[in-house]
Structure formats: C-alpha cells, structure tokens
Amino acid sequence: YIGIQRSGGYGDHILVPHPKYLVDASGIDPSYAPILACSGLTTYSAALKLLPCQPSDWIVVMGAGGLGLMAIAVLKALGHEHIAVCEIQRSKWDAAKAAGAHVCVDPLDASALEQLQALSGGVWGVLDLVGAENTASLAIAALRKGGRYVLVGLYGGELSLSLVPLAQRAMTIQGSYVGSLQELQEVVALARSGKLKPIPTAVCSMQEVSDILDRLKAGTVLGRVVAKAD
C-alpha cells in the first residue's frame, strides 16, 4: 500500500509494475473513483465477512465518518435492509440517515447497549470502523448469539474477553484490513452499476491538504476530501 509499505502517498505520479493492477474506472466521477480504492474497498471487504446473513438482519456500523458513510452505502448496495449507526457527533446523524441508516445511537449514552439490544431480532453483525476499547466492548456486548464482530478501525487499545461466554454465544471476532484486487474490481462494478451510491465528497488543492488533515483530526470533515493535483 502506497504511503504505508511504500513511499509515495503524496506523489502525483505512480509507476505501476504490471497492468493487472489497473482497474478501469471509466464512467465514474473522478472525485469518487479514488475513494473506491480506499474507503470503498476497505468497507466492502469487511462487509463480506458478515456473510452469510439475511437482508433483514441488523448490522451496526461504529462511526459515521468517511469510512462509516461508505460502509452504509456498501451495505445498502449489497441488499442489507436494517442498518444502525453508533456515532458520538450528532451533527453526522443526518448524513448517516441520508446514506441509508435507519437508527442512530450515541455510544456514550448510558442506554446505548439497551438501544442496540432492543433492535428487532437482535444485532447480527458489527463493523467497527473506530477500533477503540469502548467501541469494541459495546459492539461485542450488543451481538446476538452467533453474531459477528469485524474490526476495521485502528484507534487502538486492549480488549479483555471472558472465554466461556465467547463460546456459549458462538460469536465470531475477526479483523479486516483493506481488501483484495478482485474485491476492488467488484466495488468498481457496483459503483458503475449505480447500486453503490456516492458519499459526501469535497475536492481540495494540494496546498490545502495540511488544513484538511487538521480538520480530519478534529472530526469536522463530513464524508471524504479528495486532493486534486494542480
């Protein structure tokens, strides 16, 4: 991954070692296409790990930032009908509902776990796009028997688990990191078909990148911001 295993995260040109790594994004808005290879691929690969489940099973998305909104869009594109979002910034709830979430919960609310457990049929799966101790604890506690918790976010921390209930509740705890080339091709196909709807996206110049990173850290960015080369 460029910018992680290899330098070049801010490069304006890329040398691709083989044509097999190229994905045709023609017909997709240039400001939306780059998001598919990051947020789109990451959430799509994580969502697949919740299968098999029924379209009516409740899925909870932890966080309504850029990843969270994309996760909602991906779940909707895959046919999931019941999506709940846990987000501490209520200013992002409207965007989450516009993307397809049916329920929004403040995870800091004392009744947050009770609200999730009250969802009809219980919570089948959780996509944790934060990855903090409190989101993991809330997510696992909310799962119904046989449910699945998929960790994506890298906030960090530690989690203490009681082993007997883990077995008795037949839960699955799994990590997910980005995705495969095949999955990226599937994401692009979903976007081209119109099933995967765009999330709120802004475009900035390279000179504005530092300011945008500060806004991301402060949690004031809605959706995603794409930097455009001059």
Side-chain angles (χ1 to χ4, degrees), residues 26-48:
S26 59
I28 301 175
D29 191 300
S31 66
Y32 184 44
I35 299 173
L36 299 177
C38 184
S39 302
L41 174 59
T42 297
T43 54
Y44 178 78
S45 184
L48 292 184

Side-chain angles (χ1 to χ4, degrees), residues 165-177:
L166 182 64
Q168 291 177 333
R169 293 171 62 195
M171 295 183 299
T172 297
I173 297 176
Q174 184 172 0
S176 186
Y177 188 66

